[in-house]
Amino acid sequence: MLAKTPPMGFNTWNTFGEDINEQVIRETADKMVELGLRDAGYEYLVIDDCWSKRERDPVTGKIVPDETKFPNGMKAVSDYVHSKGLKFGMYSCDGVMTCARYPASFDHEFLDAQTFAEYGVDFLKYDNCYRPRTADQVLLYRRMSNALKACGREILFSACNWGDVEVEKWARSAGIHMYRSTGDINDSFASIRDIALSQVEKINYSGTGCFNDMDMLVVGMYNNGNVSAGGCTDIEYKTHFALWCMFSCPLMLGGDLRKLDGFCLDLVKNKTLIRIDQDEEGRPPFVPNDPGNRNTPTFVKVLSDNQYAVLFTNFKDDRRAGELYFETIGLPVASGYGLHMVDAFTGEDIGVKKEYMRLELEPHDCAMYICTLEK
Ligand code: GLA
């Protein structure tokens, strides 16, 4: 079964855009192993847009890799990725061109799926640009879903239509394993916050076999080293990663792994956070307390093994209190039960809290706990 839990891996787009090549993919594959990311669960290495020539092969009709970027072809890249114990992902689009105007799969779905299978692809990201006006995108996603089922390889189908036409309502029935639910993320806290808030109402559709994808992670990008022009702080990356884990999002790293170290590397390898993301029951979070709170929402997620995850956030630019009244998650005082809370970042056991939990949060910071019910 594919996407039993939210898919994890790396995607080239955030850092490299069109500057991709065999060398970058090999180095990234090496890093996924060296840094312990593969062993932490990050298994798919996905090449996004801009991998092909601008025209299909005039004789075979196939999409052809750009030979300056991939001089040995895609099978060689795929073999290298597989030799590292990783899985290989590629990209196409349901229109006549990809978003960056390379050949795309409209009316070539079955041929292209076959080509991807020949490359040894395990994951296909499928975008939604340059669709003919008369073409129905739901049908086009179903077409590619069928083409993948017919190609003789098990390929995870990752739809990227930015939440258009209520994708959360038909993605699962179309055979899609993860569906992009928002426009493109950028390396700023505003983008992270707005994406998370936009999904609170829709997240109930997400679960085992078909997950809501809030886009690739920007953790560790620091605006590609150009700090003066934006990017996030470590605290902001921490809140970003905690939110994605709380929402059971696919965890697709998007920062340059060749530069990922220290705080951000530890963050994306944090076993407790990954366990919360990858919980086998795949339940969505909810906002108890005050569902309309867009400043300091608290998220609660029911996990397997009688555990819970609680995430307090502060989306504002000043210090604020995060709070949770246990009654609002269905834990009345009269029950005698409280929450035994262990800090998900530090492992610190803060004991059993009764009735409510309140704490101060720095701007854009969060606090996350794994909890069990206890008297
Ligand atoms: C769209 C997608 C991005 C990326 C680019 C590539 O914008 O949403 O994630 O794949 O296309 O051109």
Side-chain angles (χ1 to χ4, degrees), residues 247-263:
F247 277 71
S248 296
C249 259
L251 299 177
M252 301 301 288
L253 302 167
D256 189 340
L257 300 189
R258 300 166 309 177
K259 297 181 188 153
L260 189 67
D261 59 11
F263 179 87

Side-chain angles (χ1 to χ4, degrees), residues 13 48-49 91 99-100 125 127 160 162 180 184 215-216:
W13 185 253
D48 207 281
D49 203 351
Y91 166 100
C99 299
K125 173 172 170 180
D127 224 327
C160 179
W162 326 292
R180 268 281 297 283
D184 289 7
D215 207 356
M216 285 88 74

Side-chain angles (χ1 to χ4, degrees), residues 122-190:
D122 307 297
F123 176 116
L124 181 69
K125 173 172 170 180
Y126 205 52
D127 224 327
N128 191 37
C129 287
Y130 299 108
R131 241 179 315 115
R133 277 181 200 284
T134 51
D136 169 30
Q137 61 176 296
V138 180
L139 205 53
L140 295 185
Y141 276 96
R142 287 196 185 125
R143 264 204 218 172
M144 187 45 106
S145 176
N146 289 334
L148 292 175
K149 303 262 179 267
C151 79
R153 235 187 121 77
E154 196 172 49
I155 298 182
L156 188 149
F157 191 24
S158 163
C160 179
N161 83 333
W162 326 292
D164 211 7
V165 293
E166 300 185 301
V167 63
E168 67 278 2
K169 296 190 179 162
W170 51 267
R172 184 175 293 274
S173 64
I176 288 164
H177 298 102
M178 55 191 261
Y179 53 94
R180 268 281 297 283
S181 52
T182 69
D184 289 7
I185 197 169
N186 62 58
D187 188 13
S188 73
F189 191 69

Side-chain angles (χ1 to χ4, degrees), residues 20-83:
I20 42 171
N21 56 54
E22 182 171 336
Q23 190 60 23
V24 160
I25 303 304
R26 282 175 175 261
E27 287 173 12
T28 300
D30 293 346
K31 281 289 173 195
M32 287 174 82
V33 178
E34 266 169 53
L35 298 176
L37 292 166
R38 179 193 64 190
D39 293 344
Y42 296 90
E43 59 178 341
Y44 291 99
L45 200 176
V46 182
I47 298 180
D48 207 281
D49 203 351
C50 310
W51 59 271
S52 77
K53 284 170 85 152
R54 294 276 178 185
E55 303 294 336
R56 287 177 179 267
D57 183 292
V59 179
T60 63
K62 287 184 172 182
I63 305 188
V64 193
D66 179 324
E67 64 260 292
T68 55
K69 293 176 180 172
F70 298 102
N72 301 303
M74 303 318 291
K75 182 68 170 61
V77 179
S78 164
D79 286 347
Y80 188 76
V81 170
H82 288 139
S83 77

